[in-house]
């Protein structure tokens, strides 16, 4: 049987893409629920958020009072005990937390989501400053780091000639 002459293929395609989006979202929500259960067994779940690509991520922390990690897990994957992205920090005496390393794939939005949660987390702990160093090993991606830290309202001091710098954020 042929569709009527007035049949709108474009409308049907939009309907199909909406159905597909709904099914993908439903599956992500199911996976998120299962992943949160697994993550909560060992870590503190801080929340869920979406990346710039509208991917759902679970944000969680590990904090022993000396070292704090803010980690992200992408809800499109089952949780197998490893983070997809993390910010590793350590506490300093002067109500400051120092970023030691940022690990994970760049340009997926995980860094921005984790930084947002790190800032909220430190405020709740009455930590007054987030600091960090830029080192020689960062220089192959320094433009990306400068953009990232400035986007998140950090003060960035760079010594170009020595290929080093410092970052600071005050709430």
């Amino acid at each position: 049987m042929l569709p009527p002459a007035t049949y709108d293929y474009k409308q049907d395609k939009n309907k199909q893409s909406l159905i597909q989006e709904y099914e993908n979202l439903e599956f992500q929500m199911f996976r998120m629920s299962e992943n949160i259960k697994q993550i909560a067994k060992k870590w503190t779940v801080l929340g869920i958020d979406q990346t710039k690509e509208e991917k759902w991520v679970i944000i969680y922390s590990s904090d022993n009072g000396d070292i704090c990690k803010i980690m992200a897990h992408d809800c499109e994957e089952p949780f197998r005990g490893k983070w997809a992205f993390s910010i590793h920090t350590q506490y300093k005496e002067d109500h400051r937390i120092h970023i030691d390393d940022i690990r994970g794939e760049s340009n997926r939005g995980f860094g921005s989501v984790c930084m947002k949660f790190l800032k909220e987390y430190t405020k709740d702990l009455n930590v007054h400053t987030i600091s960090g160093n830029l080192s020689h090993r960062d220089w192959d991606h320094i433009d990306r780091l400068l953009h990232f830290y400035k986007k998140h309202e950090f003060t960035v001091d760079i010594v170009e000639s020595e290929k080093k710098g410092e970052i600071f954020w005050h709430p």
Side-chain angles (χ1 to χ4, degrees):
M1 180 172 174
L2 293 173
T6 59
Y7 184 75
D8 187 352
Y9 289 98
K10 189 175 180 180
Q11 183 179 358
D12 193 45
K13 184 177 180 184
N14 285 341
K15 199 182 298 183
Q16 286 298 75
S17 67
L18 283 173
I19 291 169
Q20 184 63 43
E21 280 181 43
Y22 174 79
E23 288 173 356
N24 289 343
L25 185 58
E26 187 176 50
F27 185 71
Q28 273 192 53
M29 293 298 115
F30 169 76
R31 177 152 290 147
M32 181 189 304
S33 172
E34 293 302 307
N35 288 345
I36 285 174
K37 289 176 195 173
Q38 293 302 311
I39 290 169
K41 289 178 182 178
K42 187 172 179 182
W43 296 281
T44 302
V45 174
L46 300 178
I48 59 169
D49 208 336
Q50 281 187 299
T51 67
K52 65 183 181 181
E53 298 170 344
E54 298 183 358
K55 304 287 184 187
W56 286 99
V57 292
I58 301 166
I59 307 300
Y60 56 105
S61 69
S62 170
D63 189 339
N64 67 9
D66 292 320
I67 294 172
C68 174
K69 297 177 192 171
I70 303 295
M71 301 165 280
H73 179 73
D74 184 348
C75 291
E76 289 187 339
E77 302 291 325
F79 184 73
R80 300 197 197 296
K82 294 187 83 174
W83 43 261
F85 193 93
S86 69
I87 299 177
H88 297 240
T89 68
Q90 63 179 291
Y91 291 97
K92 300 295 184 176
E93 300 92 34
D94 52 349
H95 296 283
R96 175 172 56 103
I97 198 165
H98 186 83
I99 297 174
D100 288 327
D101 202 6
I102 296 178
R103 302 175 186 173
E105 195 176 330
S106 60
N107 289 329
R108 294 192 59 206
F110 293 150
S112 290
V113 173
C114 284
M115 186 60 73
K116 179 179 109 177
F117 275 86
L118 175 63
K119 289 162 99 177
E120 290 173 10
Y121 188 77
T122 57
K123 281 182 192 176
D124 290 346
L125 295 174
N126 200 27
V127 171
H128 302 294
T129 304
I130 299 174
S131 64
N133 295 322
L134 300 172
S135 65
H136 191 273
R137 71 184 173 122
D138 295 320
W139 237 250
D140 65 337
H141 57 280
I142 195 67
D143 291 341
R144 192 174 74 233
L145 284 174
L146 291 174
H147 172 76
F148 176 77
Y149 286 120
K150 287 179 181 179
K151 177 172 77 171
H152 292 286
E153 302 172 336
F154 279 75
T155 301
V156 181
D157 296 321
I158 297 249
V159 181
E160 289 273 346
S161 60
E162 297 177 32
K163 293 187 175 179
K164 68 178 190 177
E166 296 179 319
I167 59 160
F168 297 96
W169 177 79
H170 306 281

